Amino acid sequence: MTLSFFDQFMSPTYFGVPLIALALTLPWVLYPKPTTRWLNNRLLTLQGWFINRFTQQIFQPINLGGHKWAVLLTSLMLFLITLNMLGLLPYTFTPTTQLSLNMAFAVPLWLATVIIGMRNQPTHALGHLLPEGTPILLIPVLIIIETISLFIRPLALGVRLTANLTAGHLLIQLIATAASVLLPLMPTVALLTALLLLLLTLLEVAVAMIQAYVFVLLLSLYLQENV
């Protein structure tokens, strides 16, 4: 029983072909494409308003040099939100519960921000490793600590997204199993458990959106430090 709870996080295959590729392709099919009409429909208008608001909020504190990342980070957030939301549907697979996938998103983007900082302003980028006014005796220790914290950033990005989604899916499955077991024995308790399951599902919808936003927000903060 304990092992079956984790079966939902295994990448499904069909005739030996991993279906994670299909799951990663599906989000791009769901969004409506812009039209050549003068007036868009309500869905396109809402989508454009959301993208514009998000882009303004993320890139407002970043100078013009970092605005080149707007399309990349906005597309990444929409992609992560869609994957997380589709994973809450029954009989679906959530690719973002795989640490390998999240690290594949986090490491290249974090490394790109570091490389940009080292190329454009190496003195300022290296200055983050040693705060101003540090006592001489603490300089070697602080450089080691700041270097470790710098290299932990992509790991924290990937683990945060994986852990939050995995914990939420496990809680939903545990409470749903408890409700189905209690239904013939204690119907009243089963109904209360089902109500708790509904509230938890609503919470997971919020978590799915917030975690995608936090992932991109932290990447934008790393970009702000190096641009």
Side-chain angles (χ1 to χ4, degrees), residues 57-116:
Q57 184 176 3
I58 288 292
F59 289 91
Q60 187 173 4
I62 302 177
N63 59 27
L64 293 178
H67 290 186
K68 301 174 184 177
W69 287 59
V71 175
L72 175 62
L73 293 185
T74 304
S75 302
L76 177 62
M77 196 207 62
L78 289 175
F79 185 62
L80 292 177
I81 284 181
T82 309
L83 286 179
N84 296 345
M85 298 290 286
L86 290 176
L88 294 174
L89 297 175
Y91 303 104
T92 56
F93 171 67
T94 312
T96 45
T97 56
Q98 306 297 311
L99 182 60
S100 57
L101 178 68
N102 296 332
M103 293 300 293
F105 285 139
V107 172
L109 293 174
W110 163 82
L111 188 59
T113 61
V114 174
I115 292 175
I116 288 175

Side-chain angles (χ1 to χ4, degrees), residues 118-182:
M118 291 294 184
R119 186 188 65 180
N120 295 340
Q121 42 186 6
T123 304
H124 180 72
L126 293 175
H128 289 297
L129 301 179
L130 185 63
E132 187 177 356
T134 304
I136 297 177
L137 295 177
L138 295 179
I139 288 178
V141 178
L142 281 179
I143 290 177
I144 295 174
I145 293 175
E146 292 296 329
T147 304
I148 293 174
S149 67
L150 177 66
F151 284 96
I152 282 179
R153 285 179 174 182
L155 181 62
L157 281 176
V159 170
R160 180 186 294 108
L161 183 59
T162 303
N164 281 281
L165 295 179
T166 302
H169 283 66
L170 282 176
L171 280 175
I172 288 177
Q173 186 169 1
L174 285 170
I175 295 178
T177 304
S180 62
V181 170
L182 290 174

